[in-house]
mmCIF file of all heavy atoms in Angstrom:
data_model
loop_
_atom_site.group_PDB
_atom_site.id
_atom_site.type_symbol
_atom_site.label_atom_id
_atom_site.label_comp_id
_atom_site.label_asym_id
_atom_site.label_seq_id
_atom_site.Cartn_x
_atom_site.Cartn_y
_atom_site.Cartn_z
ATOM 1 N N PHE B 707 -19.828 9.861 3.758
ATOM 2 C CA PHE B 707 -20.546 9.687 5.019
ATOM 3 C C PHE B 707 -22.053 9.459 4.823
ATOM 4 O O PHE B 707 -22.602 8.485 5.342
ATOM 5 C CB PHE B 707 -20.283 10.857 5.973
ATOM 6 C CG PHE B 707 -21.262 10.897 7.107
ATOM 7 C CD1 PHE B 707 -21.178 9.965 8.124
ATOM 8 C CD2 PHE B 707 -22.304 11.815 7.118
ATOM 9 C CE1 PHE B 707 -22.112 9.957 9.149
ATOM 10 C CE2 PHE B 707 -23.226 11.811 8.130
ATOM 11 C CZ PHE B 707 -23.143 10.886 9.155
ATOM 12 N N PRO B 708 -22.774 10.349 4.086
ATOM 13 C CA PRO B 708 -24.212 10.091 3.910
ATOM 14 C C PRO B 708 -24.496 8.729 3.278
ATOM 15 O O PRO B 708 -25.440 8.052 3.673
ATOM 16 C CB PRO B 708 -24.661 11.217 2.975
ATOM 17 C CG PRO B 708 -23.641 12.280 3.121
ATOM 18 C CD PRO B 708 -22.348 11.594 3.424
ATOM 19 N N LEU B 709 -23.621 8.317 2.341
ATOM 20 C CA LEU B 709 -23.834 7.030 1.677
ATOM 21 C C LEU B 709 -23.722 5.875 2.665
ATOM 22 O O LEU B 709 -24.607 5.020 2.745
ATOM 23 C CB LEU B 709 -22.808 6.845 0.558
ATOM 24 C CG LEU B 709 -23.206 7.397 -0.808
ATOM 25 C CD1 LEU B 709 -22.072 7.189 -1.802
ATOM 26 C CD2 LEU B 709 -24.467 6.693 -1.309
ATOM 27 N N TYR B 710 -22.638 5.862 3.445
ATOM 28 C CA TYR B 710 -22.489 4.700 4.333
ATOM 29 C C TYR B 710 -23.462 4.765 5.505
ATOM 30 O O TYR B 710 -23.934 3.731 5.981
ATOM 31 C CB TYR B 710 -21.029 4.454 4.729
ATOM 32 C CG TYR B 710 -20.399 5.320 5.802
ATOM 33 C CD1 TYR B 710 -20.774 5.217 7.145
ATOM 34 C CD2 TYR B 710 -19.364 6.197 5.492
ATOM 35 C CE1 TYR B 710 -20.156 5.981 8.124
ATOM 36 C CE2 TYR B 710 -18.739 6.968 6.461
ATOM 37 C CZ TYR B 710 -19.143 6.861 7.780
ATOM 38 O OH TYR B 710 -18.535 7.611 8.737
ATOM 39 N N ALA B 711 -23.782 5.988 5.942
ATOM 40 C CA ALA B 711 -24.742 6.097 7.044
ATOM 41 C C ALA B 711 -26.126 5.627 6.595
ATOM 42 O O ALA B 711 -26.819 4.916 7.329
ATOM 43 C CB ALA B 711 -24.800 7.537 7.536
ATOM 44 N N ALA B 712 -26.511 6.010 5.372
ATOM 45 C CA ALA B 712 -27.820 5.592 4.857
ATOM 46 C C ALA B 712 -27.861 4.079 4.672
ATOM 47 O O ALA B 712 -28.855 3.425 5.010
ATOM 48 C CB ALA B 712 -28.107 6.300 3.529
ATOM 49 N N THR B 713 -26.773 3.519 4.136
ATOM 50 C CA THR B 713 -26.705 2.066 3.962
ATOM 51 C C THR B 713 -26.863 1.360 5.302
ATOM 52 O O THR B 713 -27.586 0.366 5.429
ATOM 53 C CB THR B 713 -25.352 1.671 3.335
ATOM 54 O OG1 THR B 713 -25.124 2.483 2.188
ATOM 55 C CG2 THR B 713 -25.336 0.213 2.934
ATOM 56 N N ASP B 714 -26.183 1.917 6.306
ATOM 57 C CA ASP B 714 -26.237 1.303 7.627
ATOM 58 C C ASP B 714 -27.648 1.389 8.212
ATOM 59 O O ASP B 714 -28.169 0.415 8.750
ATOM 60 C CB ASP B 714 -25.233 1.997 8.547
ATOM 61 C CG ASP B 714 -25.082 1.248 9.857
ATOM 62 O OD1 ASP B 714 -24.652 0.070 9.811
ATOM 63 O OD2 ASP B 714 -25.410 1.810 10.919
ATOM 64 N N ARG B 715 -28.280 2.542 8.065
ATOM 65 C CA ARG B 715 -29.639 2.717 8.595
ATOM 66 C C ARG B 715 -30.608 1.756 7.926
ATOM 67 O O ARG B 715 -31.464 1.147 8.560
ATOM 68 C CB ARG B 715 -30.107 4.149 8.364
ATOM 69 C CG ARG B 715 -30.217 4.909 9.669
ATOM 70 C CD ARG B 715 -30.873 6.232 9.498
ATOM 71 N NE ARG B 715 -30.311 7.159 10.485
ATOM 72 C CZ ARG B 715 -30.856 8.312 10.814
ATOM 73 N NH1 ARG B 715 -31.960 8.715 10.204
ATOM 74 N NH2 ARG B 715 -30.308 9.080 11.714
ATOM 75 N N LEU B 716 -30.426 1.617 6.604
ATOM 76 C CA LEU B 716 -31.287 0.723 5.834
ATOM 77 C C LEU B 716 -31.116 -0.714 6.324
ATOM 78 O O LEU B 716 -32.100 -1.435 6.531
ATOM 79 C CB LEU B 716 -30.917 0.835 4.348
ATOM 80 C CG LEU B 716 -31.916 0.240 3.370
ATOM 81 C CD1 LEU B 716 -33.166 1.123 3.328
ATOM 82 C CD2 LEU B 716 -31.310 0.135 1.977
ATOM 83 N N SER B 717 -29.857 -1.112 6.532
ATOM 84 C CA SER B 717 -29.625 -2.496 6.952
ATOM 85 C C SER B 717 -30.210 -2.745 8.346
ATOM 86 O O SER B 717 -30.718 -3.831 8.617
ATOM 87 C CB SER B 717 -28.133 -2.821 6.918
ATOM 88 O OG SER B 717 -27.446 -2.062 7.883
ATOM 89 N N VAL B 718 -30.158 -1.731 9.212
ATOM 90 C CA VAL B 718 -30.757 -1.886 10.541
ATOM 91 C C VAL B 718 -32.274 -2.004 10.425
ATOM 92 O O VAL B 718 -32.913 -2.770 11.145
ATOM 93 C CB VAL B 718 -30.359 -0.704 11.461
ATOM 94 C CG1 VAL B 718 -31.130 -0.763 12.770
ATOM 95 C CG2 VAL B 718 -28.866 -0.721 11.729
ATOM 96 N N ALA B 719 -32.856 -1.247 9.473
ATOM 97 C CA ALA B 719 -34.311 -1.276 9.295
ATOM 98 C C ALA B 719 -34.768 -2.609 8.706
ATOM 99 O O ALA B 719 -35.818 -3.127 9.059
ATOM 100 C CB ALA B 719 -34.743 -0.117 8.399
ATOM 101 N N VAL B 720 -33.950 -3.165 7.795
ATOM 102 C CA VAL B 720 -34.369 -4.365 7.081
ATOM 103 C C VAL B 720 -34.147 -5.634 7.914
ATOM 104 O O VAL B 720 -34.998 -6.507 7.977
ATOM 105 C CB VAL B 720 -33.629 -4.466 5.727
ATOM 106 C CG1 VAL B 720 -33.849 -5.833 5.097
ATOM 107 C CG2 VAL B 720 -34.090 -3.357 4.797
ATOM 108 N N PHE B 721 -32.972 -5.688 8.558
ATOM 109 C CA PHE B 721 -32.640 -6.917 9.275
ATOM 110 C C PHE B 721 -32.949 -6.787 10.763
ATOM 111 O O PHE B 721 -32.942 -5.695 11.313
ATOM 112 C CB PHE B 721 -31.167 -7.272 9.065
ATOM 113 C CG PHE B 721 -30.827 -7.493 7.634
ATOM 114 C CD1 PHE B 721 -30.219 -6.486 6.893
ATOM 115 C CD2 PHE B 721 -31.143 -8.677 7.002
ATOM 116 C CE1 PHE B 721 -29.918 -6.673 5.560
ATOM 117 C CE2 PHE B 721 -30.855 -8.874 5.664
ATOM 118 C CZ PHE B 721 -30.240 -7.865 4.941
ATOM 119 N N HIS B 722 -33.167 -7.902 11.370
ATOM 120 C CA HIS B 722 -33.438 -7.937 12.797
ATOM 121 C C HIS B 722 -32.225 -7.412 13.562
ATOM 122 O O HIS B 722 -31.086 -7.677 13.201
ATOM 123 C CB HIS B 722 -33.741 -9.389 13.200
ATOM 124 C CG HIS B 722 -34.308 -9.505 14.576
ATOM 125 N ND1 HIS B 722 -33.512 -9.739 15.673
ATOM 126 C CD2 HIS B 722 -35.566 -9.398 15.027
ATOM 127 C CE1 HIS B 722 -34.273 -9.781 16.746
ATOM 128 N NE2 HIS B 722 -35.532 -9.571 16.382
ATOM 129 N N ALA B 723 -32.489 -6.642 14.607
ATOM 130 C CA ALA B 723 -31.401 -6.010 15.358
ATOM 131 C C ALA B 723 -30.389 -7.027 15.860
ATOM 132 O O ALA B 723 -29.191 -6.758 15.938
ATOM 133 C CB ALA B 723 -31.967 -5.210 16.527
#
Side-chain angles (χ1 to χ4, degrees):
Chain B
F707 165 73
L709 272 178
Y710 78 70
T713 310
D714 190 62
R715 249 189 211 196
L716 194 71
S717 66
V718 172
V720 169
F721 300 100
H722 192 266

